[in-house]
Amino acid sequence: MTKESYRPVVAVAGATGAQGGAAARSLLDQGFQVRALTRTPDSAAAHALRVLGAEVHAADFDDSKSLQAALKGADGLFAMSTPFGSDPETEVRQGIDLLEAARGVGHIVFTSAAHADRDTGIPHFDSKYRIERHLRGLGVPWTILGPAAFMDNYTVEWSLAGLREGRFVLPMPADRPLTLIPARDIGAFAAHVLKRPQEFAGRRIDIASDMLTCPEIAEALTEVCGRPIVFERLPITHVEAFSADLAAMFRYFTEVGLDVDVDALRRDFPDIGWQRFGTWAAQRTWPVSWSHAAGT
């Protein structure tokens, strides 16, 4: 194989999830060889990646040998971590184990969270920053991406339940803008970085695709759902009863906010194809009609 025909190999952690899946698809579109790392190699999501041309490797964050085997000889790694379904300490341990297994990789892109490096006091932001600090001392070229709030969260059942009642519910003041990004744009930016590793080595970049208030989000959802959707502010105490971590996040969003420069990102990186919320929402299916609510 000639140097000109060589296709770099990038391993993608969490490849059957939203972020990892978006990164895998964007990397395949960019001509990379993709190793999709997943605990569920027989899942429908894993099969879909195989159809697109990815190699699927069984790998578990709690099994360092499986990580080392999946990462052997890789030119790059899309790394991520999640505290949900576990706890921040488990997230940190798994994240560091993944990075340790990647010591021989050419370049690591780690997705953290916007403002995670600013001492936010949000548990799942602080845990990501601990992983960031480990990455910086690993001795491997790195880039850290800090995504803003995920648009994709509005497609999960707890959000859809409110939309079926004509309500978009968040514990946010009506006049405080939210910076937002879809998983698709996170994956696209990660692929952009891995295509130009020297340009982005040693950089930490907070990323977002749009900035809207909650009433503006409700207005966009009205358009795509085909029924009136109004914003309703949820008392933060309701979130506190469910998750102190998420309550801390929404308090931070309310009191400080995520000041990601959306306009500068669009200007400096036009190839990403950043999606405004309305554009992203129009590409989704929103099962929020009365028939869906009744289960018919």
Side-chain angles (χ1 to χ4, degrees):
M1 180 182 294
T2 66
K3 182 178 180 180
E4 291 75 17
S5 64
Y6 178 72
R7 296 169 58 217
V9 177
V10 176
V12 177
T16 52
Q19 278 195 73
R25 290 187 292 273
S26 290
L27 288 161
L28 288 166
D29 288 344
Q30 292 287 326
F32 288 91
Q33 297 183 70
V34 171
R35 290 182 190 167
L37 277 53
T38 177
R39 290 178 297 179
T40 56
D42 297 325
S43 66
H47 176 71
L49 290 173
R50 286 191 188 93
V51 170
L52 293 175
E55 299 176 6
V56 175
H57 289 243
D60 191 318
F61 285 164
D62 290 317
D63 181 352
S64 59
K65 289 184 178 180
S66 73
L67 294 173
Q68 291 166 3
L71 293 169
K72 186 176 181 179
D75 299 293
L77 167 66
F78 174 84
M80 56 170 291
S81 64
T82 177
F84 300 111
S86 57
D87 58 81
E89 289 302 320
T90 299
E91 177 189 16
V92 172
R93 175 180 56 78
Q94 290 178 338
I96 288 176
D97 286 350
L98 173 62
L99 296 181
E100 286 294 326
R103 279 186 176 272
V105 168
H107 193 102
I108 298 173
V109 173
F110 175 65
T111 59
S112 178
H115 288 208
D117 58 340
R118 302 193 191 186
D119 193 23
T120 64
I122 304 166
H124 74 278
F125 281 39
D126 293 347
S127 57
K128 287 177 172 56
Y129 188 51
R130 289 168 62 187
I131 300 170
E132 288 187 36
R133 293 200 301 270
H134 191 87
L135 174 58
R136 290 170 185 265
L138 198 64
V140 175
W142 55 267
T143 305
I144 295 166
L145 305 182
F150 295 170
M151 295 181 189
D152 305 74
N153 286 342
Y154 304 148
T155 65
V156 300
E157 182 55 35
W158 67 262
S159 182
L160 293 176
L163 296 180
R164 291 188 189 108
E165 298 174 352
R167 302 178 300 128
F168 174 66
V169 181
L170 274 187
M172 291 287 297
D175 59 351
R176 168 61 83 171
L178 268 173
T179 45
L180 302 165
I181 190 167
R184 179 264 172 205
D185 289 5
I186 300 171
F189 201 92
H192 183 84
V193 169
L194 287 162
K195 197 80 170 180
R196 305 159 180 80
Q198 293 181 339
E199 178 182 342
F200 289 94
R203 296 177 63 182
R204 188 190 192 285
I205 307 171
D206 284 347
I207 56 175
S209 308
D210 206 353
M211 183 169 65
L212 296 170
T213 64
C214 288
E216 289 171 336
I217 295 172
E219 183 178 348
L221 290 172
T222 294
E223 183 71 23
V224 297
C225 292
R227 57 175 300 182
I229 304 292
V230 297
F231 169 61
E232 180 179 306
R233 185 177 184 180
L234 182 71
I236 193 68
T237 52
H238 289 204
V239 182
E240 186 79 54
F242 172 73
S243 169
D245 192 338
L246 290 178
M249 181 184 73
F250 281 111
R251 285 195 178 95
Y252 185 86
F253 287 176
T254 296
E255 297 166 7
V256 180
L258 300 178
D259 61 345
V260 184
D261 193 336
V262 173
D263 292 336
L265 288 165
R266 288 180 170 276
R267 181 190 65 239
D268 296 342
F269 307 107
D271 293 346
I272 302 303
W274 304 98
Q275 293 187 324
R276 295 288 186 188
F277 182 80
T279 302
W280 169 84
Q283 297 172 357
R284 316 258 83 73
T285 298
W286 297 89
V288 297
S289 67
W290 292 115
S291 60
H292 282 107
T296 59

